[in-house]
């Protein structure tokens, strides 16, 4: 039995005819950039997300960068973000000369610990970037309350949470701006790189679009310094097909997660992922807290089961963000999670037989 961390090929085979047709029609049209499929996709995603404005771009990191550029921040301005995240979040902040200010995370939900945010706010703080990690939303209400009290902007990193809702609102549509990624292994993945920026504010949407398009509204009239960040027509055509299946994909991920929960609950040495109170979970990852994590990973590997550590080094201990670094011990939860987290295979094609084999192997590691 072959078990994959992600089964993109199996997922493709189910919708092969539709995908192949979509790709071929882009080839036939040769409208590889700015073809009609791009507009179709941003409109469909917009309606999926409850009619927020959607601007397509080249990847999720660009989406974050363009979002930060649209806020009009000045070098040295501070941006608060969680220490346990994919480093792209901190990278774009540092790249723009802003100062990332890390914050510890919640031990149960793995998302930013909202009780730690207020004491990080200074005169220079301008924005908060909650990351909806592994597929469920950070606790947005208290974050928005702080943001409104201190006049801060919020940018939601929804790269892992497309389709998840917080109190009925889609992730990415709650703060001033949301960003997401269509990297192939994300819940809504294309066949290459892709990303999008989301906002409910029409003025911001116009600025975001302009920044992503070389700072121009009218061709060759550059009002501000922008970037070149586009979603290819081919990727948009693929995403048009896959968006129709997104809810079904999320259901399959949830079924796999429930299977894991049931089998692994109460096993000594393991903490199964907690469900946040006000959010649905789309299980971009199914992430355990595991004692003897590294030994478990090696054991699973020896039994043909892949697993991945997201993320082995907390952001505040990365040399790249040294200017914002805090000594080891500053964020005990993020540091402990880096030692304990392990993500099990999670995708839309997992069979009961595979899930059963994975669970019984995990259990046999702890119970012998
Ligand atoms: C994947 C991811 C990104 C970056 O997306 P890319 O498309 O790879 O640039 C940013 N933030 C988080 C939380 C991610 O998981």
């Amino acid at each position: 039995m072959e078990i994959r961390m992600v089964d993109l090929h199996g997922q493709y085979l189910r919708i092969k005819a539709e995908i192949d047709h979509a790709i071929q029609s882009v080839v036939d049209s040769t409208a590889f950039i700015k073809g009609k499929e791009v507009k179709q996709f941003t409109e469909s995603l917009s309606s999926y997300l409850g009619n927020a404005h959607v601007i397509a771009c080249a990847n999720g990191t660009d989406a974050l960068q363009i979002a930060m550029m649209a806020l009009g921040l000045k070098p040295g301005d501070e941006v608060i973000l969680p220490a346990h995240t994919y480093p792209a979040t901190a990278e774009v902040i540092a790249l723009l000369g802003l100062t990332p200010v890390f914050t510890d995370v919640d031990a149960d939900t793995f998302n930013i610990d909202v009780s730690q945010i207020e004491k990080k706010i200074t005169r220079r703080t301008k924005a908060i970037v909650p990351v909806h990690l592994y597929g469920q939303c950070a606790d947005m209400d208290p974050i928005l309350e702080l943001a409104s009290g201190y006049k801060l902007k919020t940018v939601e990193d929804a790269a892992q949470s497309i389709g998840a809702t917080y109190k009925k609102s889609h992730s990415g549509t709650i703060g001033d701006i949301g960003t997401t990624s269509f990297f192939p292994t994300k819940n809504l993945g294309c066949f290459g790189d892709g990303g999008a920026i989301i906002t409910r504010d029409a003025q911001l949407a116009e600025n975001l679009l302009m920044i992503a398009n070389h700072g121009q509204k009218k061709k060759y009239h550059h009002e501000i310094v922008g970037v070149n960040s586009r979603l290819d027509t081919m990727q948009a055509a693929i995403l048009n097909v896959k968006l129709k299946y997104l809810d079904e994909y999320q259901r399959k991920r949830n079924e796999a997660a429930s299977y894991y929960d049931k089998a692994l609950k109460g096993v000594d040495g393991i903490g199964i992922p907690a469900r946040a109170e006000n959010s649905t979970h789309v299980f971009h990852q199914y992430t355990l807290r595991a004692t003897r994590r590294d030994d478990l990973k090696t054991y699973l590997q020896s039994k043909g089961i892949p697993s991945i550590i997201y993320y082995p080094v907390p952001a505040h201990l990365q040399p790249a963000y040294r200017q914002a670094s805090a000594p080891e011990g500053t964020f005990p939860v993020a540091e402990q999670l880096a030692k304990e987290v392990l993500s099990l295979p999670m995708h839309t094609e997992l069979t009961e037989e595979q899930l059963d084999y994975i669970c019984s192997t995990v259990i046999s590691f702890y119970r012998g």
Side-chain angles (χ1 to χ4, degrees):
M1 176 168 31
E2 200 204 342
I3 297 179
R4 302 184 196 197
M5 196 66 200
V6 174
D7 185 2
L8 296 180
H9 191 248
Q11 191 188 58
Y12 160 66
L13 290 179
R14 286 178 191 273
I15 52 173
K16 182 176 184 310
E18 271 181 283
I19 293 275
D20 291 358
H21 176 75
I23 292 173
Q24 188 59 50
S25 52
V26 175
V27 174
D28 290 339
S29 77
T30 69
F32 298 119
I33 298 292
K34 294 186 180 166
K36 66 177 193 318
E37 288 82 355
V38 180
K39 185 155 180 282
Q40 264 167 22
F41 173 64
T42 52
E43 286 173 1
S44 308
L45 185 59
S46 165
S47 86
Y48 180 86
L49 296 174
N51 298 320
H53 301 274
V54 172
I55 293 109
C57 67
N59 58 68
T61 308
D62 274 10
L64 280 164
Q65 182 183 328
I66 293 162
M68 299 311 300
M69 288 172 79
L71 297 181
L73 308 187
K74 290 184 299 301
D77 284 348
E78 294 174 0
V79 180
I80 293 174
L81 75 162
H84 182 67
T85 180
Y86 182 62
T89 326
E91 181 179 45
V92 300
I93 294 168
L95 188 69
L96 295 172
L98 310 170
T99 304
V101 174
F102 296 111
T103 307
D104 212 350
V105 295
D106 182 89
D108 293 324
T109 64
F110 308 122
N111 278 323
I112 194 164
D113 181 348
V114 292
S115 73
Q116 305 282 321
I117 295 176
E118 191 162 17
K119 56 187 169 208
K120 300 280 169 185
I121 297 174
T122 72
R123 267 178 32 250
R124 309 219 67 170
T125 308
K126 294 291 157 57
I128 306 176
V129 184
V131 180
H132 304 311
L133 203 69
Y134 304 145
Q136 69 183 344
C137 298
D139 198 5
M140 290 303 293
D141 276 354
I143 294 172
L144 293 178
E145 208 168 292
L146 282 170
S148 122
Y150 289 93
K151 304 224 174 337
L152 311 176
K153 299 293 183 189
T154 48
V155 175
E156 304 170 68
D157 183 344
Q160 303 189 0
S161 67
I162 192 83
T165 54
Y166 177 85
K167 296 186 175 173
K168 301 218 160 75
S169 291
H170 269 278
S171 70
T173 69
I174 305 162
D176 294 287
I177 307 180
T179 66
T180 197
S181 163
F182 309 120
F183 185 81
T185 60
K186 296 280 154 84
N187 286 28
L188 179 60
C190 59
F191 288 8
D193 274 312
I197 315 149
I198 304 154
T199 183
R200 291 205 169 277
D201 181 323
Q203 182 62 50
L204 259 178
E206 214 172 278
N207 283 344
L208 289 161
L209 185 63
M210 182 163 68
I211 293 167
N213 185 25
H214 297 290
Q216 64 189 348
K217 273 187 203 152
K218 198 170 142 199
K219 204 166 167 77
Y220 300 125
H221 291 76
H222 301 269
E223 294 177 34
I224 52 171
V225 176
V227 297
N228 171 28
S229 189
R230 297 185 284 240
L231 180 72
D232 297 353
T233 310
M234 196 96 81
Q235 302 306 339
I238 291 160
L239 289 166
N240 275 330
V241 176
K242 291 186 73 177
L243 180 58
K244 293 189 290 180
Y245 296 96
L246 183 59
D247 286 341
E248 186 185 327
Y249 292 160
Q250 316 284 39
R251 186 177 49 73
K252 287 185 178 173
R253 287 175 178 274
N254 267 278
E255 278 169 14
S258 302
Y259 196 101
Y260 280 138
D261 277 354
K262 227 168 158 187
L264 299 176
K265 193 176 176 174
V267 175
D268 241 6
I270 287 183
I272 61 171
R275 313 291 180 100
E277 229 170 84
N278 295 316
S279 176
T280 61
H281 204 322
V282 293
F283 286 99
H284 174 59
Q285 299 297 338
Y286 185 89
T287 303
L288 298 173
R289 293 187 63 165
T291 54
R292 296 193 284 135
R293 189 265 319 268
D294 293 345
D295 292 342
L296 171 62
K297 187 173 192 320
T298 308
Y299 180 76
L300 292 174
Q301 190 66 47
S302 76
K303 303 286 182 188
I305 300 169
S307 60
I308 299 185
I309 299 165
Y310 295 113
Y311 297 93
V313 182
H316 67 286
L317 300 179
Q318 298 283 3
Y321 316 120
R322 206 177 281 122
Q323 105 260 28
S325 79
E328 206 161 339
T330 310
F331 302 123
V333 178
E335 290 167 29
Q336 192 61 29
L337 290 179
K339 297 188 179 97
E340 289 185 0
V341 289
L342 190 66
S343 298
L344 296 179
M346 174 50 79
H347 54 80
T348 57
E349 310 304 312
L350 282 164
T351 64
E352 253 187 57
E353 196 191 3
Q354 290 173 328
L355 287 163
D356 184 57
Y357 175 68
I358 297 166
C359 292
S360 55
T361 309
V362 171
I363 291 166
S364 73
F365 173 79
Y366 287 104
R367 294 195 179 147

